[in-house]
Amino acid sequence: MERDAVSGPGTGLSIEPGTLYVVATPIGHRDDISARAVALLSHVDVVAAEDTRHTGRLLSMLGLAVAQVSLHEHNERDRVPVLVERLKQGEAIALVSDAGTPGISDPGYPLVAAAHAAGIRVVPVPGPTAMVAALSASGQPTDRFVFEGFLPARAGTRQERLRNLATEPRTLVFYESGHRVVAALADLAQAFGDDRPATLARELTKVHETIRCTTLGALAQCVADDADQRRGEIVLVVAGAPESATVASEERLREVLDALLPELAPSRAAAVAARLTGTSRRAAYRAALDRAERDDPEA
Ligand code: SAM
């Protein structure tokens, strides 16, 4: 199907046929949608939406009548090839999720990957994402950070994940839900220490927006004591481990491995050392192999 590019009103942009637009939408405040996003949504052939009823409300608030097709984690496998075919036929498609940037702890990645694999142009239309909004207002260092998404729901798996992150020197960003934030903050304080600086960013851009910048211990106490602080959507931004903690932990790992390696195989020594020092198994194994090789270069 031959299609012409369409110009978006007032944006100086054109909507290209056969292109996948990845469009960010508000995370709360309805005015946080860009003029470019509105122009694109009004001109694409179809909007691939995580929840068509939810996106329908956004589109009708913007006064737009656009065809939608649902694309969520339960139908992605079947829908992606159909959408790629439509793109190949020359349709312009906008991918949106319920809130924020598609693909960021939301559906979207498989369609984007499949579009690239099929040689289709993918164009980001940037806008809100809770992770960057929280980080930017957190007061924690923003020059280097890691986004960890949602922590595992199961306590044991979550605690193991956090032990592995305890010496991460970059700022850490986590998504959390109100009903798990008490457990998550208790585990964070346990793994990283009560005194680690941290920010709780809740209901960003909404009426009850709260940004509380203190320590993990104080935040754990605050959400345990005050049910209001558990309501709504939450991002936790945690300062990275101080340099001294990373160095001390590496030294401790070396000491433990020195004691274990004469007695145990590297994999076993690494597993025990990881448990004793809170280092990740992978890092402990790498260190164990390095030390085993240093002690016996012929091995
Ligand atoms: N795609 C979204 C984005 O770009 O941020 C994230 C979707 S994810 C399913 C939902 C999680 O994002 C929530 O549980 C919360 O952790 C975070 N979140 C979304 N909106 C938020 C807001 N207004 N304030 C705080 N956190 C928010």
Side-chain angles (χ1 to χ4, degrees), residues 27 99 101 104-106 129-130 150 175-176 203-204 233-235:
I27 56 168
T101 301
I104 307 300
S105 293
D106 262 345
T129 180
F150 287 98
Y175 279 172
E176 203 39 88
E203 294 288 86
L204 292 169
E233 301 194 279
I234 294 167
V235 184

